[in-house]
Amino acid sequence: NVVNCNGYVYSGGEIRTLVILLFLSLSFGGTVTDIDGNVYETVQIGDQLWMAENLRVTSDKYGNDINYWYYDNDINNADPYGCLYNWETAINNLCMEGWSLPSDDDWKTLEIYLGMSEEDANSWGEQRGSNEGSKIAGFKELWNEGVLTEDDSFGLTGFNAIPGGYRHHNGGVFNEKGNYGTFHSSTLVLDHTNIAFDRGVFNGQTFIGKSETYYLYGISVRCIADEITSGCTNPDACNYDETANVDDG
């Protein structure tokens, strides 16, 4: 049996039921395409629709040149790790039309939906919640060995956070591929103009970390849909709806 923070006791059967209900609330199989023609899987988690892959576009949504890096400046790292972007690039029209760089509140909504308390979601640091990091992580073969992938909830959501590492702005040094995946948010820290909140998943823990990133650091990007539009997403179907981003079955 497991006791939650409110003192409620869950039996093994109830835990399995909770996991099944969470799984049934997810919607897999949609896609979104960037201006370069890259096609990304998407996943609906609760009332949010997220990219289920790291962004790897090399221009903004209007076709303008941007700053981006492949890990170790090796284009072979583009798939599956995506590109690394500084915050200044990520915030300025990087995501596709109808999609945006997630805010700190967007990330908190995801975390709370997956079981994190509101108090923990509002906190900073590496140890927030319980195993929400394992739930959003995916592709075990890309992660170095650690407790993240050993948790029973690893890969549960289909969000598939991966350890793309980061690029330090000072000297352009790349670090932590295989160990750490860090993701931008659009939200600046308090009154700072060059430091923004981020989210991190680390192979050595099951949590989702929340810290701050200097705007010139290169880290990964996941975009979130501005709204969910249900309909037929199969372009070969007679009832295809080009405005839909979630298939209605």
Side-chain angles (χ1 to χ4, degrees):
N1 290 356
V2 175
V3 182
N4 75 357
C5 58
N6 296 316
Y8 185 83
V9 179
Y10 291 95
S11 68
E14 287 174 302
I15 292 172
R16 287 191 293 272
T17 300
L18 289 172
V19 171
I20 291 170
L21 288 173
L22 173 61
F23 183 81
L24 291 176
S25 69
L26 309 176
S27 177
F28 305 95
T31 61
V32 62
T33 305
D34 68 28
I35 195 169
D36 290 345
N38 298 308
V39 180
Y40 305 91
E41 297 292 329
T42 64
V43 59
Q44 182 181 345
I45 304 175
D47 293 327
Q48 296 177 311
L49 183 65
W50 291 84
M51 289 175 55
E53 302 178 50
N54 287 357
L55 193 67
R56 54 184 182 274
V57 71
T58 58
S59 57
D60 72 15
K61 66 182 179 182
Y62 302 116
N64 299 313
D65 292 338
I66 60 172
N67 291 319
Y68 67 93
W69 300 272
Y70 304 114
Y71 191 91
D72 275 345
N73 295 316
D74 183 352
I75 193 173
N76 293 313
N77 282 317
D79 187 7
Y81 296 103
C83 294
L84 302 174
Y85 307 92
N86 61 37
W87 186 83
E88 199 169 42
T89 296
I91 198 66
N92 285 305
N93 302 311
L94 184 64
C95 292
M96 298 71 69
E97 195 67 39
W99 293 71
S100 300
L101 189 67
S103 67
D104 184 53
D105 283 343
D106 289 328
W107 282 109
K108 287 193 286 188
T109 296
L110 174 66
E111 292 164 341
I112 292 170
Y113 182 80
L114 295 179
M116 187 181 294
S117 70
E118 186 172 350
E119 180 181 3
D120 280 352
N122 287 325
S123 67
W124 295 22
E126 294 299 317
Q127 297 186 6
R128 302 162 61 248
S130 55
N131 62 352
E132 292 80 19
S134 292
K135 290 177 182 177
I136 69 167
F139 295 107
K140 185 174 183 178
E141 67 275 11
L142 300 179
W143 290 91
N144 292 333
E145 185 177 349
V147 296
L148 179 81
T149 59
E150 295 168 0
D151 190 90
D152 290 341
S153 294
F154 180 84
L156 176 66
T157 64
F159 185 94
N160 290 332
I162 57 175
Y166 64 88
R167 179 187 183 272
H168 198 288
H169 69 283
N170 188 6
V173 177
F174 296 89
N175 285 300
E176 299 291 357
K177 182 169 75 74
N179 295 323
Y180 203 53
T182 315
F183 303 90
H184 280 294
S185 87
S186 62
T187 305
L188 289 167
V189 177
L190 301 177
D191 296 325
H192 291 283
T193 59
N194 58 7
I195 300 174
F197 288 116
D198 63 23
R199 291 300 189 278
V201 183
F202 178 52
N203 68 317
Q205 60 189 26
T206 62
F207 314 104
I208 299 176
K210 175 181 175 179
S211 60
E212 53 192 50
T213 294
Y214 185 58
Y215 78 116
L216 293 179
Y217 265 80
I219 61 177
S220 300
V221 164
R222 291 293 180 95
C223 303
I224 186 172
D226 297 335
E227 60 181 0
I228 293 178
T229 304
S230 298
C232 178
T233 59
N234 182 357
D236 297 325
C238 59
N239 61 334
Y240 171 62
D241 181 356
E242 64 179 10
T243 67
N245 52 27
V246 172
D247 197 272
D248 59 4

